[in-house]
Amino acid sequence: MSEQSLDTFATVTKVILKNASCCDDISIKMPKIRKRLVLTIESCGDKIKIEANMNFLSRLSRAVELKTLELGYKESLDLSSTTSPYPPSPAVETALKSIDAGSLNAFPSINVLDFRRVIADRYGLEACNVFIYDGCDALLSLCMKAYFDEGDVVAFADVTYEYYKRCATLNGVNYTTIPLDAQMKVNIADYQSVDCDGIIICNPCDPTGIAVNKLDIIELVAKRPDKLFIIDERYAEFAGSGIVEFVKEYDNLVVIRGLSAAYGLGGVNFGYALASASLVSGLKNLRPHAFDCAVDCITQKVAEACFEDVKYMSLTVDKIINTREDFCDKLRQLGFDILPSSANFVLVKHNSLVASVIEFQLKEQGITVKHFKTKRLGDYLRITISTPENMDLLIKKLKAIVK
C-alpha cells in the first residue's frame, strides 16, 4: 500500500470516528507494518491502539454507519444501485392520471391477457409464452419453487448477482459456483459438464457488466436439454437483443426481464418471464391464482404504458451508453482499470488506491458507490451510470482523491 494510500486511509478513518463520536479532537498515527496496520488514535484525551488488516476501514464504517446517518449525514448521489437516472416515459404519468379510483374495489385482471399480448408481440411470441410477476427477484424465487425440488442443485458464476445464493437457499435448493476466468468473463465451456439440475446466467453480468455471446448460450442450452436454464436479462437493453427469440424453440429455457434499468421504473415491482408454454404453465400452476393477483392493477397499467414507449426507452438507453463511454475515458486518465461493460454500470479498480478508501472518501462527500467485500471483488467498485452532470461531479471528486 502506498504512502499516499495510507494517508488517505487515515484521513477517512478520522472522519468516520469524528462523525461517530461527535468529538473534534481526534488524531491518528498509522505507520506501515508489512501488510498490517497499527493505528494509534487519540480522542478527547484518551488513546487507543488498534492493529487491523486492510479491511478494517470497511468494518469500522459499517459499525458507525447508523450513527453517522443519525447525525444527519445524508447521501446526495447514490451510484450504488443499478436503476436508471432518468424518470420513466411520460406515458406513465398519463396512465396514473387515467386510473379511476372507483375501479380499485375490484381484483386485478384474472390473467393479464392484454398486457401479455403486448409483451409477446414485441418479441414475436404468443401470450402463452409470457408470465408477469411482482419483480424480477420474486420471479426468480418462483422459478426455484416451480422448477426445482428440495435438494436439487443450480449452478451459476462465483461472481454474479448476489441474490442467487440467497434465493436458492431460501427455497431449499443447493448451489454450486463456477469461477469466472482471469478476465472476469463467463467461460461457457465450464458449464458443459457441471453436475447440476439447472443453470443461471446473468447476462450482462451484474456486477461485471460483461455480456456473454447469445449464440454461445444457446449452443449450451441445446447441448444440455435435461438442464433448466434461467437467463437473467434485466440489463439486456444495454447489450442488444438477448436470447428471447429462442424461447419457443427450447423447452428448457426461461428468460427474465424487468423495467428498472432501461425503462426507469425501479420504484414499481414488476418483472416478466419469457419461456415455452409448458414452462409458463409451471409458473402459473404453482399455486392457485398465481396469475390473478401477482401484479396489482395500478402496476399493470403503469408498467404497460412504460413498456409500450419503446422510443423513449431507446433514447434513454443511448444516453446512458454515451455517458458510460465518456465516463470510462475520463476514469482511465485517473489510473482506473475498467472491465468492458454492456450494462448501465461499470466495475472499476484503481492501479494504486484501495477500493474501500475511495468508497468512503466519496461517501463522506455524499456520493455512494458499491464496494463488494469478497475475495475476487475486493479491489473493485461498481459505479452506476447517472446523468452526464452527475458523472462529471464524480470525476471531480475522484481527481481530488487520487491526486
Side-chain angles (χ1 to χ4, degrees):
M1 193 175 188
S2 67
E3 293 301 321
Q4 181 185 16
S5 296
L6 284 170
D7 291 341
T8 305
F9 192 97
T11 300
V12 178
T13 304
K14 183 175 180 178
V15 167
I16 292 172
L17 289 171
K18 177 180 176 181
N19 290 348
S21 65
C22 302
C23 180
D24 291 329
D25 181 23
I26 295 177
S27 63
I28 297 177
K29 296 179 181 179
M30 188 169 60
K32 185 176 180 182
I33 301 181
R34 296 180 183 177
K35 293 185 178 181
R36 298 183 66 81
L37 303 174
V38 175
L39 285 75
T40 302
I41 303 172
E42 184 172 355
S43 176
C44 302
D46 296 324
K47 287 185 178 181
I48 58 173
K49 183 178 286 188
I50 300 175
E51 185 175 349
N53 61 23
M54 305 304 261
N55 287 324
F56 169 74
L57 179 59
S58 296
R59 295 199 301 271
L60 175 62
S61 176
R62 292 291 180 263
V64 303
E65 187 170 4
L66 290 178
K67 181 65 176 178
T68 59
L69 289 175
E70 191 178 290
L71 294 173
Y73 295 86
K74 297 180 180 179
E75 300 170 0
S76 59
L77 179 57
D78 184 3
L79 302 178
S80 64
S81 65
T82 56
T83 53
S84 173
Y86 300 104
S89 163
V92 169
E93 185 174 358
T94 302
L96 284 170
K97 290 179 179 178
S98 70
I99 294 173
D100 177 13
S103 67
L104 299 181
N105 63 311
F107 288 125
S109 171
I110 294 177
N111 57 19
V112 208
L113 182 59
D114 290 342
F115 190 10
R116 287 164 52 217
R117 282 174 175 161
V118 170
I119 296 174
D121 289 345
R122 169 81 58 84
Y123 304 115
L125 304 173
E126 305 295 332
C128 62
N129 300 124
V130 181
F131 183 87
I132 72 172
Y133 210 59
D134 58 342
C136 291
D137 286 356
L139 190 47
L140 277 167
S141 185
L142 196 67
C143 286
M144 290 285 182
K145 293 183 177 74
Y147 304 133
F148 303 107
D149 295 322
E150 188 171 347
D152 281 354
V153 178
V154 294
F156 42 80
D158 64 334
V159 176
T160 191
Y161 182 38
E162 295 173 301
Y163 180 66
Y164 296 159
K165 292 180 180 180
R166 189 170 68 215
C167 182
T169 301
L170 290 173
N171 288 285
V173 178
N174 298 321
Y175 63 84
T176 185
T177 58
I178 311 298
L180 298 182
D181 66 18
Q183 288 73 46
M184 302 291 275
K185 296 180 179 180
V186 171
N187 185 353
I188 288 295
D190 293 338
Y191 292 78
Q192 293 180 357
S193 59
V194 60
D195 185 14
C196 63
D197 300 284
I199 293 172
I200 304 176
I201 298 177
C202 187
N203 196 40
C205 177
D206 179 9
T208 68
I210 298 175
V212 182
N213 186 296
K214 66 179 183 180
L215 297 181
D216 291 338
I217 295 178
I218 289 302
E219 183 179 356
L220 179 64
V221 172
K223 285 182 177 180
R224 307 202 70 178
D226 58 330
K227 310 301 178 188
L228 192 283
F229 286 82
I230 301 174
I231 311 301
D232 188 345
E233 288 192 343
R234 64 185 79 192
Y235 309 107
E237 290 84 2
F238 299 94
S241 61
I243 61 170
V244 294
E245 62 194 273
F246 296 99
V247 297
K248 287 200 296 186
E249 297 180 35
Y250 298 95
D251 201 32
N252 62 330
L253 174 63
V254 178
V255 177
I256 291 177
R257 289 196 174 193
L259 301 180
S260 62
Y263 289 86
L265 208 62
V268 173
N269 287 328
F270 180 83
Y272 60 95
L274 305 168
S276 67
S278 61
L279 286 176
V280 168
S281 294
L283 295 172
K284 180 180 178 181
N285 298 327
L286 182 64
R287 58 185 175 85
H289 310 301
F291 249 11
D292 298 44
C293 301
V295 179
D296 66 77
C297 56
I298 297 177
T299 297
Q300 288 179 31
K301 199 170 187 68
V302 167
E304 184 172 355
C306 188
F307 182 83
E308 287 192 293
D309 196 345
V310 181
K311 182 178 179 180
Y312 181 88
M313 180 274 291
S314 298
L315 289 173
T316 299
V317 167
D318 288 343
K319 284 195 293 186
I320 292 173
I321 290 175
N322 291 335
T323 303
R324 183 189 70 202
E325 296 310 301
D326 179 66
F327 175 65
C328 287
D329 289 341
K330 293 174 181 177
L331 276 183
R332 292 186 185 95
Q333 296 174 21
L334 297 178
F336 283 90
D337 296 323
I338 309 162
L339 297 185
S341 175
S342 296
N344 64 327
F345 52 83
V346 291
L347 193 67
V348 308
K349 67 176 179 179
H350 196 264
N351 54 28
S352 63
L353 294 183
V354 177
S356 58
V357 172
I358 298 174
E359 178 198 11
F360 292 110
Q361 285 264 27
L362 290 172
K363 180 176 286 188
E364 172 59 21
Q365 299 178 71
I367 299 177
T368 305
V369 295
K370 180 71 173 180
H371 179 220
F372 297 87
K373 313 302 188 294
T374 63
K375 183 177 181 180
R376 295 199 67 180
L377 291 177
D379 294 332
Y380 289 90
L381 298 171
R382 189 191 68 194
I383 304 173
T384 300
I385 304 302
S386 184
T387 62
E389 295 76 17
N390 284 338
M391 303 318 290
D392 285 344
L393 173 63
L394 176 59
I395 288 293
K396 180 181 178 180
K397 301 296 185 183
L398 288 172
K399 283 181 178 178
I401 293 172
V402 305
K403 69 179 179 179

